[in-house]
Amino acid sequence: MNLIYRLPIFVRWILLPFASFFTVLLVNAFGKLAAKIFVFLSTPGGLSENFFEFLFLPGVSGFCGVYIAMAFAPKKKSFVGYTVAFLWIALAGALAVFNIMLREWPSVLQSASLIGGCILAIYNPLPEETSQK
């Protein structure tokens, strides 16, 4: 986080949407890899990859996407958190509507999990920025 706080303010505003988007992608990619390893090493009859793919990872990635956007925001962090969460929730809601029409129920669960992660991130407090001198 100290690296983020050292960036100039205008650079932080420019990088904010890209950081949120790439955070969601990276958390999903590395999470799926970790889930495959976890399932491979676990005992038979334990958690399957479906738990991670459809329930756990979308929520964690939504949380991380909103949280990193709030961390990048130099001012008005709560407003940025609400705005970014609204955008992710709108995207997940639109995808949920299409998946309901296509009767793809596991994908609806992914959208619901992403929405839950975004809502949880809004109410998670950020550590205070410390002034670097």
Side-chain angles (χ1 to χ4, degrees):
M1 292 280 242
N2 287 335
L3 177 67
I4 295 172
Y5 297 149
R6 291 181 188 168
L7 292 172
I9 290 175
F10 72 94
V11 173
R12 288 169 67 178
W13 282 118
I14 293 171
L15 291 178
L16 190 141
F18 300 109
S20 177
F21 179 73
F22 286 120
T23 299
V24 170
L25 289 180
L26 287 175
V27 168
N28 266 327
F30 288 124
K32 285 182 183 180
L33 179 65
K36 288 183 186 292
I37 292 170
F38 178 77
V39 169
F40 176 74
L41 294 176
S42 67
T43 59
L47 295 174
S48 70
E49 288 182 38
N50 289 339
F51 168 75
F52 294 102
E53 183 178 350
F54 295 111
L55 189 62
F56 185 71
L57 287 177
V60 171
S61 64
F63 176 86
C64 292
V66 173
Y67 196 79
I68 199 74
M70 289 190 308
F72 263 87
K75 298 177 186 174
K76 301 182 181 180
K77 292 180 183 295
S78 62
F79 178 75
V80 169
Y82 282 114
T83 304
V84 171
F86 173 77
L87 293 173
W88 281 113
I89 289 170
L91 177 68
L95 290 175
V97 168
F98 288 123
N99 286 320
I100 287 171
M101 289 190 301
L102 296 173
R103 299 183 191 266
E104 292 290 329
W105 305 116
S107 297
V108 175
L109 186 60
Q110 278 182 325
S111 296
S113 178
L114 182 82
I115 290 169
C118 290
I119 291 171
L120 186 64
I122 292 171
Y123 298 108
N124 194 17
L126 282 168
E128 295 294 326
E129 289 188 25
T130 57
S131 60
Q132 301 291 329
K133 294 191 180 190

